[in-house]
Amino acid sequence: MTMTDDDLRDLLARDASEGRGAGVTVADVDRRVRRIRRRRGAAGAALAAGLAAVVMAATAPRTVTIAPAGGPDAAAMARPSLTPGVSYLAGQRVFLDKEIETGGRVLRFPYTGISESVNVEVDCREPSYGFVWLNGRLEAQGVCGVQSDQVDHLISWIDESGRDLTGANEVAVALVPVGRVAVDGEPGAPVPALGEQEAERVVGETGEYRTRARVTIREAWLLAVAPTPINCDRDIVIRKPNGQEILSSACDRPSFPAE
């Protein structure tokens, strides 16, 4: 039987007029009020789901089960954390500045750095595809020089791994014609990145040829390290071993606030 606010008022009025006193108990009222609220909540949830299904999918709390009693306290898990905001800035000091006249070959450039990070730039005078290695690891790649889009592309990469690059290091650069990488691609389409072995194979199969480019290695410094409160994409629900669930402000997917 459906119970509304008006029904509840009528029930109370009728009980009072009949003078029975104990016909409607506090428990009856409480039970029927809860029933009304549940129906209202269900109707509101159905409407919200119809209007904002995508938003609910992204923001609905996620349930996680905590360890049995004796493990980490749920309140401690919910405590907000701080995440450092880290960025690097290329400096003015140049460690190495060399002309490149040969493509189809891995050219190695040892340098001694005084900064924890490094900025590597490759400026091509002819349309090319470039690869950049640092200490034997492929770190950057992409089109270089004036391409079919009539834009002069520059490869500029800064190491943001957090490793300390002061002292002796080696940058390696290899250039190949764009067609060697984008063999089956449409003209002007994005060129898919290659893995380490595939890049070495393409360079080796290209063979040496004359080209013109320049590689510049500069210092790069840590710009800022500051504890920054994180944003929450959505809250999580912590489920205790006894089945109790607690809505927590702990973040499911922490993200940096917009600058």
Side-chain angles (χ1 to χ4, degrees):
M1 176 179 177
T2 302
M3 175 67 68
T4 66
D5 293 318
D6 291 335
D7 294 334
L8 186 55
R9 292 191 189 95
D10 291 342
L11 177 65
L12 294 172
R14 185 169 62 254
D15 183 71
S17 65
E18 293 176 357
R20 293 178 296 186
V24 179
T25 66
V26 173
D28 292 331
V29 175
D30 181 73
R31 183 168 54 254
R32 291 173 186 182
V33 167
R34 289 176 182 272
R35 197 173 301 161
I36 291 170
R37 288 177 176 171
R38 281 199 302 269
R39 282 199 302 274
R40 284 179 174 173
L47 178 61
L51 295 177
V54 175
V55 174
M56 289 298 292
T59 61
R62 181 173 66 87
T63 300
V64 295
T65 302
I66 65 173
D73 181 61
M77 293 174 60
R79 188 178 301 121
S81 59
L82 297 178
T83 303
V86 179
S87 57
Y88 291 82
L89 180 68
Q92 297 298 316
R93 186 187 298 269
V94 175
F95 299 142
L96 182 141
D97 188 26
K98 292 283 189 178
E99 289 287 338
I100 294 177
E101 298 180 346
T102 304
R105 176 184 169 192
V106 178
L107 304 175
R108 305 184 186 280
F109 303 97
Y111 79 93
T112 300
I114 64 169
S115 60
E116 293 182 359
S117 184
V118 66
N119 170 231
V120 181
E121 288 187 353
V122 181
D123 183 9
C124 301
R125 305 335 195 285
E126 298 176 2
S128 306
Y129 191 91
F131 301 95
V132 175
W133 290 264
L134 176 63
N135 296 332
R137 177 176 173 179
L138 181 62
E139 298 285 6
Q141 60 182 288
V143 292
C144 183
V146 179
Q147 305 294 320
S148 58
D149 57 6
Q150 303 306 310
V151 175
D152 189 359
H153 295 264
L154 174 73
I155 297 177
S156 182
W157 171 78
I158 295 180
D159 180 74
E160 296 185 344
S161 65
R163 54 188 163 178
D164 189 349
L165 296 177
T166 55
N169 298 279
E170 181 184 79
V171 166
V173 176
L175 301 177
V176 298
V178 179
R180 299 292 302 181
V181 180
V183 178
D184 301 322
E186 296 292 331
V191 181
L194 302 184
E196 296 252 8
Q197 294 183 351
E198 188 68 7
E200 294 175 0
R201 181 189 64 80
V202 168
V203 174
E205 292 180 354
T206 298
E208 291 189 14
Y209 67 97
R210 299 285 293 177
T211 189
R212 293 183 304 150
R214 192 172 195 88
V215 56
T216 305
I217 304 175
R218 292 186 177 88
E219 63 184 359
W221 298 101
L222 190 62
L223 181 62
V225 178
T228 306
I230 56 178
N231 291 335
C232 289
D233 289 346
R234 61 177 176 176
D235 292 338
I236 62 174
V237 173
I238 296 177
R239 178 181 293 144
K240 289 187 173 182
N242 62 4
Q244 181 184 4
E245 293 184 350
I246 303 172
L247 181 62
S248 169
S249 62
C251 288
D252 181 34
R253 295 185 183 88
S255 58
F256 289 109
E259 293 293 338

